Amino acid sequence: MSKEPIILAIESSCDDTSAAILKGQKILSNEIANQEIHALYGGVVPELASRAHQQNIVPVVDTAIKKAGIHKADIDAIAFTKGPGLLGSLLVGSSFSKSFALGMNIPLITVNHMQAHILSHFIDEGDPMPAFPFLCLTVSGGHTQIVRVDSTSKMEVIGTTLDDAAGEAFDKSAKILGLPYPGGPLIDKHATNGNIHAFEFGKPKIQELDFSFSGLKTSIMRLIQKGVVENHNFIAENLEDLCASIQQSIVTILLKKLQKAIKQTGIKEIAIAGGVSANTFLRSELKRLSTEKRFNLYIPKFEYCTDNAAMIAITGYFKYLEKDFADQSVTPSARLFF
Ligand code: KG4
Ligand code: ZN
């Protein structure tokens, strides 16, 4: 194991089919095939996602290997997402990976998708990496967590959502506004020139470090229903202000709890991860706060925020160093905890 290992990684937990090649801690390629089909249905349709993964996986892996400029025989191990995620989608990635490991006679490594979002900070891009222990606000379409990270393998969820995830709050709000799925990036875009104080929504009263977004959703729905009754053009005439106010409300909920966690733990190394960490307002507010409250902030590059196999590869790398391998009996888990 003296040379830097080359790892092929597969991510197929939801609606993106991705393959990456990692050498040491550097990414050589990171291919992602998005599944446009779900936009027609206003959300991910699990059956269609599995079928699309089945179609995409071989071409995506092939392209990742070619773009990395390596040969199949150079690969030292294959890592794949074991969960959490949609079972039918996970089965495509796990079956492919098990067959590949068997065919190439190389180790098989299982990866927890949520841990991988966090460990994307350790992909070597020449930027500073968080020091242990650090706190990570992991915000995606399925999860909202504050995680205390003590090492690449020791992590503890110290706060989580009691209902919707932050990404879901963005996507469901967007749906109410008539925007297509996934609505998070569109709310971000329309919010650019909007007034964040134009509309007020209900604020959750949740104990400790946990989150709740369902009340906000109801509050948004009520305000919009009332607005449309009074003026049928209400949404179109106020789209920018609505998006800015919704975005501000979601980000405020997140940052309030993150600040509480910083205070409670005394940890001043702060990272964000997951699809929602691509949000412009969240990023800028965090930068402002990090100066004001004097903590070190680590924000992933955009391509490592939303689902990607590069983060699976870096997690696989740490498990490879530990010789933490799986055997052919392994199966994916839709619900997988740390
Ligand atoms: O991590 P991710 O790609 O997939 C999951 O593991 O869920 O996160 C997807 C979520 C979606 O809800 C999407 O709307 C949200 O991330 N998202 C954003 C932005 N980009 C992606 N939400 C707000 N602003 C963005 N710029
Ligand atoms: Zn994710």
Side-chain angles (χ1 to χ4, degrees):
M1 279 207 204
S2 55
K3 78 170 178 77
E4 289 190 316
I6 293 182
I7 293 177
L8 164 64
I10 309 292
E11 155 60 29
S12 71
S13 64
C14 190
D15 59 339
D16 297 308
T17 319
S18 181
I21 302 282
L22 180 92
K23 184 176 185 184
Q25 286 182 239
K26 289 201 160 69
I27 289 295
L28 301 184
S29 64
N30 182 34
E31 280 299 296
I32 303 175
N34 304 116
Q35 301 179 2
E36 311 290 334
I37 182 124
H38 306 290
L40 295 173
Y41 299 90
V44 176
V45 184
E47 181 89 0
L48 296 177
S50 323
R51 286 179 199 211
H53 282 305
Q54 192 77 263
Q55 285 171 342
N56 292 341
I57 193 138
V58 171
V60 165
V61 170
D62 202 39
T63 310
I65 291 174
K66 284 200 181 101
K67 283 200 181 164
I70 61 154
H71 298 286
K72 245 188 342 208
D74 300 328
I75 297 168
D76 295 299
I78 179 162
F80 71 95
T81 306
K82 183 179 178 197
L86 300 170
L87 193 64
S89 293
L90 291 165
L91 278 165
V92 178
S94 62
S95 303
F96 176 91
S97 304
K98 284 164 76 172
S99 312
F100 193 92
L102 197 63
M104 301 299 292
N105 195 24
I106 54 172
L108 180 66
I109 301 169
T110 60
V111 170
N112 178 306
H113 180 91
M114 298 312 294
Q115 290 194 338
H117 269 300
I118 297 170
L119 295 180
S120 63
H121 285 281
F122 294 92
I123 293 169
D124 184 359
E125 300 268 337
D127 298 324
M129 296 174 187
F132 300 111
F134 66 91
L135 295 180
C136 188
L137 175 69
T138 317
V139 271
S140 71
H143 293 81
T144 299
Q145 300 175 333
I146 300 177
V147 183
R148 181 194 160 106
V149 188
D150 284 292
S151 73
T152 56
S153 58
K154 188 167 179 268
M155 304 182 192
E156 185 194 353
V157 178
I158 58 172
T160 189
T161 181
L162 303 179
D163 40 60
D164 290 347
E168 253 178 308
F170 271 105
D171 296 339
K172 287 181 177 172
S173 305
K175 201 167 180 177
I176 299 171
L177 296 174
L179 299 172
Y181 177 86
L186 293 171
I187 291 198
D188 191 345
K189 190 174 132 223
H190 290 297
T192 312
N193 299 315
N195 174 5
I196 59 171
H197 301 298
F199 299 100
E200 277 277 330
F201 303 110
K203 294 179 182 62
K205 291 183 189 69
I206 303 293
Q207 297 301 306
E208 294 304 321
L209 299 176
D210 291 331
F211 304 88
S212 168
F213 293 98
S214 64
L216 173 68
K217 186 184 62 194
T218 312
S219 169
I220 293 169
M221 204 138 65
R222 287 219 183 99
L223 181 129
I224 289 175
Q225 277 167 350
K226 189 164 170 278
V228 171
V229 167
E230 288 163 10
N231 166 13
H232 73 277
N233 262 338
F234 176 74
I235 295 179
E237 286 173 15
N238 296 284
L239 189 61
E240 292 188 343
D241 287 349
L242 283 166
C243 287
S245 302
I246 291 168
Q247 178 172 269
Q248 196 262 356
S249 298
I250 297 172
V251 169
T252 303
I253 293 172
L254 294 173
L255 295 187
K256 209 172 145 197
K257 290 301 169 98
L258 183 62
Q259 288 188 80
K260 192 168 182 176
I262 295 171
K263 212 168 164 189
Q264 270 185 18
T265 60
I267 295 173
K268 296 269 184 180
E269 292 280 300
I270 308 300
I272 54 169
V276 179
S277 62
N279 184 263
T280 318
F281 188 64
L282 176 63
R283 291 163 93 101
S284 65
E285 281 295 281
L286 265 170
K287 279 184 196 154
R288 187 181 60 72
L289 266 182
S290 70
T291 316
E292 194 183 302
K293 308 273 180 194
R294 293 164 193 250
F295 57 79
N296 294 326
L297 178 65
Y298 303 88
I299 299 185
K301 282 176 70 180
F302 279 110
E303 66 248 51
Y304 303 139
C305 288
T306 43
D307 289 349
N308 64 87
M311 67 185 198
I312 307 301
I314 190 72
T315 310
Y317 166 79
F318 292 119
K319 291 185 95 172
Y320 182 87
L321 296 183
E322 300 283 321
K323 293 202 173 75
D324 185 355
F325 302 139
D327 64 36
Q328 286 288 325
S329 66
V330 70
T331 52
S333 314
R335 287 167 65 78
L336 185 67
F337 303 100
F338 289 4

